[in-house]
Amino acid sequence: MYHYRSSVLVVITIGLSLTTGNRIVPETDEDRTKIVGGHPISIEQVPYQVSVQVKTKSSHRHTCGGAILSADRVLTAAHCIEESRKYAVRAGSNYYGFGGQLVEVLESRVHPEFNNHTLANDIAMLRLERNLFFSNTVTLISLPYAESFSPTSKEVFVSGWGSILYDSSLSYRLQGVSIPLVDHELCSQLYVEFNNITDSMFCAGQVGRGGKDSCQGDSGGPVVQNGYLVGVVSWGYECGEPNYPGVYSKVYAFREWIQSLL
């Protein structure tokens, strides 16, 4: 069993020995889930971070994270977006529930080759109804210019309001954690019975140890290295498991598509 890392728990199983198909479980407070093994951080440390929120009849509900690419463009995960729903983003706050700037989403564009079963091409662009006001708590993050990760840094930084434990409640306060990168071939071997780790995905986690990971509620959020947006939180087997690192969409692989929408 592996799952999306949005705050709506999605269970997907693949393989001859497993049940095929996917099942969406309605969200409860117990299903919502924050960064595993991290610590509270200030939005000033990650001013590009936003909370992607589903509009309800009376309010807004956090469902995923996102990263600001321009005054009116936010990058998130494709599995976070449903055509039938309306969304907003909250920027510039340590909390997903209040503060900062709450701006409605005018249009969402899911990658045309997104596969809901394999989670390939799990990336989407949101166009906001109005421009965000930039400040020390709200600013954009740059796209990477090279496909490879920095050889001098073997970790990435992930932030969000997801769970500190699998299947627990959302963190009301923004969290962050540095996570070691995992060799692509090793990650493919670890997930061989579950899903294919494509060339447009990468993995990060403490293999053999666990304890540091993104989790439900963190989906779509930024994965950063040396000031560049290198990844988007996508999926994984539970959270913080020793032999199942988190899996992320590799932003550079989608650079051309992203730039066409900016």
Side-chain angles (χ1 to χ4, degrees):
M1 178 183 71
Y2 68 89
H3 60 82
Y4 297 159
R5 293 192 163 179
S6 62
S7 65
V8 176
L9 178 60
V10 177
V11 178
I12 299 180
T13 52
I14 294 178
L16 294 177
S17 62
L18 304 172
T19 304
T20 59
N22 66 330
R23 176 168 61 91
I24 299 178
V25 180
E27 183 190 67
T28 67
D29 287 341
E30 288 74 25
D31 288 331
R32 293 182 192 164
T33 60
K34 67 197 171 188
I35 295 288
V36 175
H39 57 277
I41 59 172
S42 170
I43 191 65
E44 283 91 347
Q45 296 172 252
V46 290
Y48 47 80
Q49 169 88 53
V50 302
S51 166
V52 177
Q53 309 202 349
V54 174
K55 291 185 65 177
T56 66
K57 289 183 179 180
S58 58
S59 62
H60 297 80
R61 172 174 56 79
H62 173 85
T63 186
C64 284
I68 302 169
L69 295 188
S70 74
D72 68 343
R73 295 292 194 279
V74 167
L75 196 68
T76 189
H79 77 256
C80 292
I81 304 303
E82 297 180 39
E83 289 185 8
S84 61
R85 292 184 178 272
K86 293 184 177 181
Y87 295 88
V89 302
R90 187 182 300 279
S93 178
N94 292 323
Y95 309 95
Y96 68 81
F98 61 91
Q101 304 172 45
L102 185 65
V103 181
E104 307 295 324
V105 171
L106 185 64
E107 178 188 22
S108 58
R109 297 282 295 274
V110 170
H111 193 281
E113 296 180 16
F114 169 59
N115 187 308
N116 191 53
H117 295 283
T118 67
L119 303 185
N121 309 303
D122 187 16
I123 203 161
M125 182 76 79
L126 306 179
R127 182 161 68 98
L128 306 184
E129 198 170 65
R130 63 171 175 80
N131 286 355
L132 294 166
F133 297 103
F134 285 165
S135 67
N136 65 323
T137 61
V138 179
T139 191
L140 57 79
I141 187 167
S142 299
L143 298 174
Y145 288 95
E147 185 171 8
S148 60
F149 292 98
S150 168
T152 60
S153 177
K154 299 191 181 300
E155 292 188 326
V156 291
F157 190 77
V158 185
S159 52
W161 290 272
S163 178
I164 56 170
L165 295 172
Y166 176 66
D167 222 12
S168 67
S169 61
L170 282 174
S171 171
Y172 71 94
R173 175 66 189 259
L174 184 62
Q175 305 271 317
V177 66
S178 293
I179 308 176
L181 291 166
V182 176
D183 178 75
H184 192 275
E185 184 176 345
L186 172 58
C187 191
S188 295
Q189 293 171 356
L190 293 173
Y191 275 108
V192 68
E193 295 184 6
F194 293 98
N195 196 20
N196 181 36
I197 306 298
T198 70
D199 289 340
S200 61
M201 299 175 184
F202 69 90
C203 303
Q206 298 187 125
V207 176
R209 181 180 175 185
K212 289 187 176 184
D213 202 357
S214 55
C215 204
Q216 293 156 270
D218 292 320
S219 274
V223 185
V224 174
Q225 187 184 72
N226 296 334
Y228 291 96
L229 182 67
V230 295
V232 170
V233 179
S234 185
W235 62 276
Y237 176 82
E238 298 193 348
C239 305
E241 290 294 311
N243 293 315
Y244 294 102
V247 185
Y248 304 88
S249 296
K250 186 188 297 182
V251 168
Y252 184 81
F254 306 101
R255 184 181 172 89
E256 185 175 338
W257 180 79
I258 292 169
Q259 288 187 312
S260 72
L261 298 177
L262 291 178

